[in-house]
Amino acid sequence: MGKDSKPKESGGKGKGKATSASDENASKGKGKGGKGGDALGTCTYVKARHVLCDKQGKINEAYKKLQDGWLSNGDKVPPAEFAKIAQEYSECPSGKKGGDLGWFPRGKMAGPFQDVAFSTPIGATSAPFKSTHGYHIILCEGRKN
């Protein structure tokens, strides 16, 4: 009667997969497991891309491109398309890499940037916002603990 001895599902037929190990791995890799790392504001790490501009007008222009292409239709911006916008508009060195910031822990980024990065749902794009470094748009690509 160990912790993994009985599956909680009553059907028992399943799809031939063990529930405990595969569910745990699925929650780490794809963000669909419903474990603590997926909840907004409770994860330890976030993977994000961003666009950084000194001027509000420039960030608004970049955001308008995202709106015209995807956001106004209710679609999510594909990371490759967000990367093109970052390469074109971002004034951050990460812009050359499509705005890719990789995985970063809570506490690494300053105030508003961290707040927005850790509260934006996976696959979603934030509205433009101001930080001490300028104006940003963030695309959240993942979360983990």
Side-chain angles (χ1 to χ4, degrees):
M1 289 196 268
K3 59 186 172 186
D4 295 327
S5 63
K6 287 186 181 179
K8 289 186 179 181
E9 296 177 25
S10 59
K13 295 175 189 172
K15 301 213 186 233
K17 290 184 180 179
T19 56
S20 61
S22 64
D23 287 350
E24 188 174 317
N25 290 337
S27 70
K28 290 178 185 172
K30 305 235 186 211
K32 293 182 180 177
K35 305 264 179 184
D38 294 352
L40 294 177
T42 61
C43 63
T44 306
Y45 289 86
V46 70
K47 184 177 193 294
R49 292 180 181 272
H50 80 133
V51 178
L52 169 65
C53 300
D54 287 335
K55 305 281 185 206
Q56 187 173 11
K58 189 172 180 182
I59 201 74
N60 288 342
E61 187 179 321
Y63 191 69
K64 181 162 178 22
K65 275 197 167 184
L66 295 171
Q67 281 183 309
D68 291 348
W70 300 275
L71 300 175
S72 62
N73 299 330
D75 295 332
K76 292 183 177 180
V77 179
E81 296 301 324
F82 188 94
K84 289 178 187 175
I85 299 293
Q87 287 173 336
E88 183 178 347
Y89 287 93
S90 189
E91 298 166 11
C92 179
S94 70
K96 292 183 177 109
K97 301 183 301 179
D100 188 7
L101 298 172
W103 291 99
F104 55 88
R106 235 178 242 288
K108 182 174 182 184
M109 302 296 185
F113 190 94
Q114 175 175 281
D115 295 343
V116 174
F118 279 86
S119 64
T120 301
I122 295 171
T125 303
S126 74
F129 65 96
K130 186 172 179 14
S131 79
T132 54
H133 298 286
Y135 295 89
H136 303 266
I137 303 167
I138 293 177
L139 170 68
C140 179
E141 293 189 292
R143 299 185 186 297
K144 66 182 180 180
N145 282 328

